[in-house]
Amino acid sequence: MSAIRLLVLGAVRQHGRAHGYQVRNDLEYWGAHEWSNAKPGSIYHALKQMAKQGLLHAHEIAPSTAGGPPRTEYEITEKGTAEYLSLLRESLLAHDQKPDVLSAALGFMVDLDREEVLGLLQQRVRTIRQWRAAVTDHYTPEDGPAQLGHIGEIMNFWVHSADAGAEWTQGLIERIRGGAYTFAGEGEPFVGVLTDGQENPYATGQRHPEDTC
Amino acid sequence: MSAIRLLVLGAVRQHGRAHGYQVRNDLEYWGAHEWSNAKPGSIYHALKQMAKQGLLHAHEIAPSTAGGPPRTEYEITEKGTAEYLSLLRESLLAHDQKPDVLSAALGFMVDLDREEVLGLLQQRVRTIRQWRAAVTDHYTPEDGPAQLGHIGEIMNFWVHSADAGAEWTQGLIERIRGGAYTFAGEGEPFVGVLTDGQENPYATGQRHPEDTC
DNA sequence: GAATGTGTAGTCAAACTTGACTAGCTATCC
DNA sequence: GGATAGCTAGTCAAGTTTGACTACACATTC
């Protein structure tokens, strides 16, 4: 599963009602175009697809107020909200190899409540540790690890990445337990979207390096 | 760029001449179906595509000797070899967010010579450090990092991952410099493919966990 | 000896992603 | 005051990925 559905659902949900360009802009504001496949085509495709599946409700809207072609506004449905929360929980839990999914989930974690997030992250750490044990066990058979030659470096890389992921998750758990951030039901939420007319400080222009992918 | 082209080119090259099922089997032997998109459809597609582009030469072969439909054998062309080496170098260098690309490159790094690999990996480390500096600089503007709220955790995660990647790369550099593995031009290479009839110890069946993606 | 499973080899439609493109409106510059 | 750049909003074709499916042959089981 790619991160795009989670990102789009979450963005629409924060707005209440949003058209494609707004979603696109939000994702850029979060830097999502740098660490995920949040490109225009994918975003508009996801919106249409999820509208077809009943996760979003599409309002056909007259020609836009600010130039350009007519636009469609979307609103998240009940089914969409259920899917969103399910994706969000799953993404915080899953030890996928896809860092974009975790990144997206981090951006929305405050939509859950603090205790639940702590539980999910702790489970995440446990899963990683189990995975690590199983892998090192499975790939170091009776013949010894030297059998694998340089191929063993692949496993070594993954194990190292998993360790780093577990360590980082542990750090996050401690920050959250220590009272950082504002979670669901804890008062005024942090606003992570651009309100209409607000300028985007991270808009295209001079991005930081790495834009070579 | 996904890892599939590099994987397929490398597999065909090691065999000299291979049909799709052989490539598919090799990639499974390397565990590539677990950390990359090396699924049957992608493999056959890549073979056909690259044959069309002149990177592989397709030999139409009569009905297979062991059941199933007739098969096509592929051989890498000169252009394909050039592309392969270019992809390989690029993948060792690039600080993509795609770990599968690096994994694939690790499996083939011994096709280059030791000094070149060391150079590429050192450049990799430098690139990561530069990227890190640029990112932390760019995303902690005059307002201070607290401005970002929990969104800052996304950047924190990426920076942490980059640090872990740099550290791991540094370790690999030291192992290679210390004489580990057999690189191009250093005698009998490590054989990383299944010869005909050899059983695959990592064939489908009881895989280690994580197969939930 | 008929059914059932397993390995070989590959195809296919549906879904997704990409990058380039369209097209209208506004502000700005000389 | 004409052009030219940039923003708004989205479409489109081409390419890629996925997961399920086909089809044959050999082996095993009941």
Side-chain angles (χ1 to χ4, degrees), chain B residues 133-151:
Chain B
V135 164
T136 50
D137 200 58
H138 183 82
Y139 278 98
T140 38
E142 57 274 22
D143 316 323
Q147 205 64 6
L148 289 169
H150 70 281
I151 298 290

Side-chain angles (χ1 to χ4, degrees), chain A residues 98-117:
Chain A
K98 309 286 162 91
D100 57 342
V101 173
L102 177 59
S103 298
L106 289 175
F108 296 124
M109 64 179 172
V110 295
D111 283 345
L112 302 175
D113 63 41
R114 190 178 295 266
E115 286 311 315
E116 179 171 16
V117 171

Side-chain angles (χ1 to χ4, degrees), chain A residues 14-93:
Chain A
Q14 286 201 4
H15 275 288
R17 202 186 227 240
H19 52 90
Y21 192 71
Q22 233 162 2
V23 171
R24 187 175 159 180
N25 236 2
D26 275 1
L27 299 191
E28 187 178 23
Y29 176 52
W30 301 339
H33 57 295
E34 302 205 335
W35 44 259
S36 78
N37 57 336
K39 309 190 181 153
S42 300
I43 293 169
Y44 288 109
H45 173 74
L47 283 168
K48 278 183 184 156
Q49 196 65 18
M50 294 196 296
K52 216 168 74 184
Q53 292 168 357
L55 305 179
L56 296 175
H57 179 238
H59 302 268
E60 291 294 343
I61 290 294
S64 95
T65 59
R71 60 201 193 184
T72 310
E73 291 196 324
Y74 295 89
E75 211 168 352
I76 195 165
T77 63
E78 218 166 299
K79 193 172 155 194
T81 303
E83 171 77 357
Y84 167 68
L85 293 173
S86 157
L87 280 178
L88 179 51
R89 294 189 172 105
E90 187 188 321
S91 303
L92 282 172
L93 260 185

Side-chain angles (χ1 to χ4, degrees), chain B residues 43-61:
Chain B
I43 293 169
Y44 287 109
H45 173 73
L47 283 168
K48 276 183 186 157
Q49 197 65 17
M50 293 197 295
K52 215 167 75 183
Q53 292 169 356
L55 305 179
L56 296 176
H57 179 238
H59 301 268
E60 291 294 343
I61 289 294

Side-chain angles (χ1 to χ4, degrees), chain B residues 171-195:
Chain B
L172 177 59
I173 288 172
E174 273 144 36
R175 288 193 287 283
I176 292 175
R177 189 177 283 135
Y181 316 125
T182 308
F183 285 80
E186 300 183 344
E188 205 55 40
F190 179 84
V191 178
V193 297
L194 296 164
T195 50

